[in-house]
Amino acid sequence: MDNTDLYGIKMRASQKSENTNRHLSGAERIVEKENIISCANSLIKRALNHENGKADFINLKIENINREKVLELEALPVILKQVKTKAEGYKQIEYYLKKNGIEYPKKVINMLKECKSLRGAILLDVNTLKRLEPNPERGVRATYMDSDKFNLCTSKNHFNEAIILATKVANAPNIVGEICISDDINYVTGYFASKRNGYIRISKLKEKGDPLGGRIFLYNGKTKKDLENTIDFIEKQPVIVTNIANSQINTNKWEFIEEYTKNIKKENLYRTQNEILEINKSNVKIGNTNFKMFSSNNYLGFANNDEIKKFSAKMLKKYGTGTGGSRLICGNFDLHTQLENKIAKFKNQESAIIFNSGYVTNLTVIPSLFKENDVIFSDELNHASIIDGCRLSKAKTIIFKHADYVDLEEKIKKNAFNKGVIISDAVFSMDGDIADLPKILLLSKKYNLLTYIDEAHSTGVIGKTGRGIVEYYNLNEYPDIIMGTLSKALGAEGGFITGSKLLTDYLRNSARGYIFSTAFAAAPVAAAIKGLELLENDVSYVKKLHENIRYFNKCLHNAGINVSSKTSIFSFIIGDENKALEAAKKLLIQKFFIKAIRYPTVPKGQARLRIVITSQTLKKDMKQLSQILGKIL
Ligand code: WAQ
Ligand code: MG
């Protein structure tokens, strides 16, 4: 046996009130000499940071313990009883009391009420139901006990402390069992423990908020000497409990979800989804009702275009429904390459690479390009996929005010970097405004930064022929990294990056979302190919979209609504989440399918109606809608 000394450390914290001291918290440990200071430290921290209140007195007692006298006890085995109600919990206790020969279990349980003013436990004679504590105001206190693991004790761990105590008490002479409920008002888990049955952990023995708590040690001895031995053991015998299982059993494994759901419901942030049964141009059928669709990013109607559907179906027949592997292993069809070439050509770039969704594109490309020592300057209204990509990248992310390039420049000047990038949406998804690309490019040149532009809502939408933001500004230079989606104007599915071949080859070798995703199926790839073809060969789709956007702007103006947009996205900021929901409901009653956009899609308190105009939106619908909006906004 190791000869180094052991020390018991006890902490008690209390609060001074008029003439008494209110007990706040207490804890004890048994530690090696070398751990005294760090243990004392954390016990003091615990005393100072107790949720019950501020500590006026902290009493720390450190005493030598003879190692030879320490008893090592194996922790009681833990058995969890998951119960739904307090009543069920009590049934469990009754059952175990009966099992241990106690005739009137209800009477015993009732005595827990007497524990209220005790610092210790009731010592109950199970034969006479008489209390045996020498000092009935204090009760019997179990002390000199710890587990064999030295861990920092800054916060209370109910279960760990309880199993140490329960193991010690269950091993005391003449003790047949123990019942315990915490006096912490929100800790509802309690237990019955005995040497015979183990530690029966009962998930609910009281309602939250109930201050009832206490302990009863069940005694079955005969002589005065027996009683003395029992109390002596409980109060004086040093015990180290070994093999406490790491079972931090949660009383309700789903509580974290239930809590979350309850909270977002309270804040009007809970979301539900509609089931669309049929789509006919700008009309959708939900249930038995037709709605005018004013929410879809199907900007050019390509998701339901006959020519595209036909080609997609043909390729589905030829290649099948799946690909059977990632691009790099065995899922690479000539179709994939064709699509990538088409994207690059459409965007006037050297090369392109496709990903399974727009979200995945940003999520995987940003971290594969930017790392720990890099700096990302990101517009505060960038899409969630950019935000998540930045987070995953571990790069230092500096958020600049929305479309505020003065703020951006100030922040660039303040932050030193070796490698840096400006990331911005081209068209902002929830506001519909357009980034000032010329300014961004200017700053990027001035400070030698890369540029990363997300063209999800600009491709097929802005620019004379729908080529996006570069065409919109008539520039002859390009961002370094152009990102886009195939799922909006192109009516298919997926995302892409286009730029230099150096860039796309690098991404094929480093972007985990590319390497570890099964290549996407022929049908959506073919749809995107055909979509690009239509877009390139027939400018009428984009023209029609632009005409509709102009028309809706005019309607809004006529209805006296001060909202306008140069893109498909019109944002009607309402503010309050509930009011936005109400407005959406009113529109739904009038058969307009428009969603209230709320946090976390937009900041809290900036809930809004997001109205989307496509090439298929009917003029009469736009007119009617703007009149209704004029009334309800
Ligand atoms: N010795 C005897 N009785 C005590 C002691 C002690 N060392 N410490 C507390 N008591 C009595 C006292 O009357 C308290 O009011 C009562 O027990 C409850 O004490 O598996 O937190 O410290 O998750 O509030 C059970 C854990 C936690 C169940 C119990 O007790 C689980 C708990 P608390
Ligand atoms: Mg307590």
Side-chain angles (χ1 to χ4, degrees):
M1 194 181 243
D2 189 346
N3 276 327
T4 50
D5 289 338
L6 282 181
Y7 286 82
I9 309 186
K10 289 184 190 164
M11 178 279 286
R12 273 186 71 181
S14 54
Q15 203 169 44
K16 208 171 146 179
S17 53
E18 271 158 39
N19 40 25
T20 53
N21 279 338
R22 185 167 80 96
H23 174 78
L24 284 180
S25 74
E28 66 169 289
R29 306 297 316 258
I30 297 174
V31 297
E32 310 276 345
K33 193 174 175 182
E34 65 193 37
N35 288 327
I36 292 176
I37 291 182
S38 66
C39 181
N41 226 326
S42 64
L43 283 173
I44 293 168
K45 255 190 214 151
R46 174 164 159 174
L48 289 174
N49 297 309
H50 202 273
E51 58 176 13
N52 282 352
K54 181 176 148 269
D56 296 320
F57 287 117
I58 301 169
N59 195 330
L60 205 65
K61 180 165 145 192
I62 303 176
E63 61 190 301
N64 187 270
I65 290 177
N66 185 346
R67 189 187 283 267
E68 316 246 296
K69 292 205 174 128
V70 173
L71 193 62
E72 277 199 14
L73 295 172
E74 177 123 357
L76 295 175
V78 178
I79 297 146
L80 179 72
K81 298 287 174 187
Q82 195 76 252
V83 294
K84 288 211 177 66
T85 61
K86 176 177 133 179
E88 271 179 58
Y90 272 68
K91 280 253 155 63
Q92 288 289 337
I93 293 200
E94 276 176 45
Y95 169 82
Y96 282 99
L97 287 175
K98 269 221 170 107
K99 214 170 158 173
N100 283 283
I102 289 154
E103 235 176 304
Y104 302 105
K106 280 206 171 89
K107 272 194 190 160
V108 173
I109 294 172
N110 239 330
M111 292 185 81
L112 278 168
K113 289 186 189 133
E114 292 176 29
C115 292
K116 210 171 169 193
S117 55
L118 300 185
R119 294 249 305 111
I122 287 178
L123 186 62
L124 190 71
D125 187 320
V126 293
N127 300 307
T128 61
L129 295 193
K130 288 228 161 67
R131 289 176 56 173
L132 302 171
E133 314 95 78
N135 176 353
E137 245 123 71
R138 172 176 174 271
V140 174
R141 271 190 72 79
T143 68
Y144 296 109
M145 58 201 177
D146 198 353
S147 75
D148 57 343
K149 289 198 192 74
F150 176 71
N151 54 0
L152 293 180
C153 27
T154 34
S155 65
K156 176 160 175 107
N157 181 322
H158 290 85
F159 169 68
N160 263 332
E161 288 172 16
I163 188 137
I164 293 168
L165 186 150
T167 300
K168 180 177 181 188
V169 171
N171 281 281
N174 311 312
I175 290 290
V176 292
E178 177 199 350
I179 55 181
C180 168
I181 299 179
S182 174
D183 57 14
D184 292 7
I185 57 169
N186 287 322
Y187 201 84
V188 299
T189 305
Y191 65 86
F192 169 89
S194 74
K195 194 118 197 258
R196 217 163 22 125
N197 305 105
Y199 183 97
I200 312 294
R201 213 176 166 200
I202 302 165
S203 66
K204 187 165 186 180
L205 284 175
K206 65 177 185 183
E207 301 298 337
K208 277 199 174 175
D210 184 349
L212 171 88
R215 279 192 161 90
I216 300 176
F217 300 157
L218 304 162
Y219 172 84
N220 189 6
K222 291 191 184 73
T223 63
K224 220 172 150 197
K225 187 77 194 145
D226 287 344
L227 181 61
E228 250 176 59
N229 285 342
T230 302
I231 295 177
D232 243 39
F233 185 95
I234 292 173
E235 296 200 330
K236 297 197 180 122
Q237 171 64 50
V239 163
I240 298 272
V241 176
T242 63
N243 290 329
I244 296 180
N246 279 328
S247 60
Q248 294 309 308
I249 309 159
N250 196 335
T251 51
N252 172 6
K253 283 199 279 187
W254 300 109
E255 190 174 312
F256 69 110
I257 292 184
E258 286 164 9
E259 281 290 313
Y260 175 83
T261 309
K262 202 173 79 197
N263 287 338
I264 59 172
K265 279 187 174 161
K266 211 164 62 199
E267 293 184 64
N268 290 313
L269 295 172
Y270 191 74
R271 283 149 158 88
T272 57
Q273 51 197 19
N274 300 98
E275 236 172 48
I276 290 169
L277 304 178
E278 277 172 34
I279 300 174
N280 179 13
K281 296 208 165 142
S282 64
N283 271 275
V284 291
K285 195 168 155 192
I286 297 169
N288 287 323
T289 315
N290 277 309
F291 292 91
K292 293 148 199 145
M293 175 53 88
F294 273 88
S295 292
S296 172
N297 297 328
N298 180 18
Y299 296 128
L300 300 172
F302 283 6
N304 322 94
N305 178 291
D306 285 335
E307 234 179 295
I308 295 175
K309 281 200 276 193
K310 209 167 121 193
F311 183 66
S312 178
K314 193 170 143 195
M315 291 303 117
L316 171 95
K317 258 204 182 131
K318 180 172 170 194
Y319 291 91
T321 51
T323 53
S326 70
R327 297 281 299 281
L328 297 169
I329 306 277
C330 64
N332 190 33
F333 301 158
D334 57 344
L335 273 184
H336 293 107
T337 315
Q338 265 179 48
L339 174 57
E340 288 174 341
N341 291 340
K342 268 207 143 47
I343 293 167
K345 182 168 160 257
F346 182 71
K347 290 283 193 184
N348 206 12
Q349 300 295 300
E350 197 181 7
S351 177
I353 172 173
I354 55 177
F355 299 85
N356 295 53
S357 82
Y359 178 83
V360 161
T361 308
N362 281 329
L363 195 72
T364 191
V365 171
I366 296 172
S368 111
L369 290 170
F370 307 105
K371 320 263 175 196
E372 225 143 49
N373 298 316
D374 302 331
V375 178
I376 297 173
F377 298 95
S378 178
D379 188 292
E380 69 177 330
L381 292 191
N382 278 343
H383 187 255
S385 55
I386 295 178
I387 295 171
D388 294 353
C390 292
R391 285 181 182 154
L392 200 59
S393 77
K394 301 200 183 97
K396 183 171 173 190
T397 303
I398 312 280
I399 315 286
F400 62 92
K401 285 195 199 126
H402 174 52
D404 183 340
Y405 305 104
V406 176
D407 185 50
L408 171 59
E409 182 160 14
E410 268 168 25
K411 286 180 172 153
I412 294 172
K413 281 185 192 158
K414 270 193 208 139
N415 289 279
F417 52 86
N418 284 322
K419 187 169 114 224
V421 62
I422 304 171
I423 305 188
S424 177
D425 275 341
V427 168
F428 289 87
S429 56
M430 295 301 137
D431 292 69
D433 56 333
I434 304 172
D436 192 336
L437 184 61
K439 272 199 191 136
I440 291 174
L441 292 177
L442 210 71
L443 287 173
S444 77
K445 265 181 276 179
K446 189 165 164 192
Y447 296 99
N448 196 30
L449 284 151
L450 287 161
T451 46
Y452 183 118
I453 302 295
D454 181 331
E455 293 230 64
H457 297 277
S458 54
T459 300
V461 176
I462 61 173
K464 245 206 296 244
T465 64
R467 280 178 161 72
I469 191 160
V470 172
E471 186 183 34
Y472 174 83
Y473 283 111
N474 275 316
L475 304 176
N476 43 29
E477 55 179 338
Y478 293 85
D480 298 300
I481 303 144
I482 297 171
M483 181 272 172
T485 67
L486 306 168
S487 58
K488 296 178 170 72
L490 293 173
E493 204 177 278
F496 64 80
I497 291 284
T498 180
S500 67
K501 185 152 185 310
L502 182 76
L503 169 67
T504 56
D505 282 349
Y506 170 78
L507 292 175
R508 272 181 232 284
N509 285 282
S510 66
R512 296 173 66 81
Y514 181 84
I515 300 169
F516 297 107
S517 286
T518 294
F520 61 129
V525 177
I529 291 175
K530 199 50 152 189
L532 278 166
E533 235 170 77
L534 293 188
L535 198 51
E536 279 191 308
N537 299 336
D538 185 352
V539 79
S540 73
Y541 296 103
V542 175
K543 275 210 165 123
K544 180 73 185 143
L545 173 62
H546 289 176
E547 186 188 319
N548 282 350
I549 292 170
R550 270 197 306 276
Y551 183 77
F552 191 52
N553 273 305
K554 203 171 88 190
C555 291
L556 292 174
H557 180 79
N558 290 343
I561 298 169
N562 192 18
V563 170
S564 66
S565 178
K566 293 189 169 97
T567 70
S568 278
I569 300 161
F570 290 73
S571 186
F572 300 78
I573 298 187
I574 289 174
D576 179 72
E577 280 74 26
N578 200 32
K579 280 192 185 135
L581 284 173
E582 292 285 307
K585 215 192 228 163
K586 279 183 196 156
L587 290 165
L588 202 67
I589 290 167
Q590 309 265 6
K591 311 273 191 308
F592 286 94
F593 190 98
I594 292 162
K595 283 261 164 174
I597 305 287
R598 292 162 290 160
Y599 176 85
T601 313
V602 295
K604 271 190 189 159
Q606 287 192 34
R608 65 196 63 189
L609 298 174
R610 176 180 181 269
I611 292 180
V612 184
I613 301 302
T614 74
S615 66
Q616 295 187 307
T617 316
L618 298 178
K619 285 197 169 144
K620 67 171 174 49
D621 293 345
M622 289 190 260
K623 193 167 173 188
Q624 194 198 348
L625 174 59
S626 48
Q627 282 160 356
I628 297 171
L629 287 171
K631 281 183 212 137
I632 68 169
L633 288 181

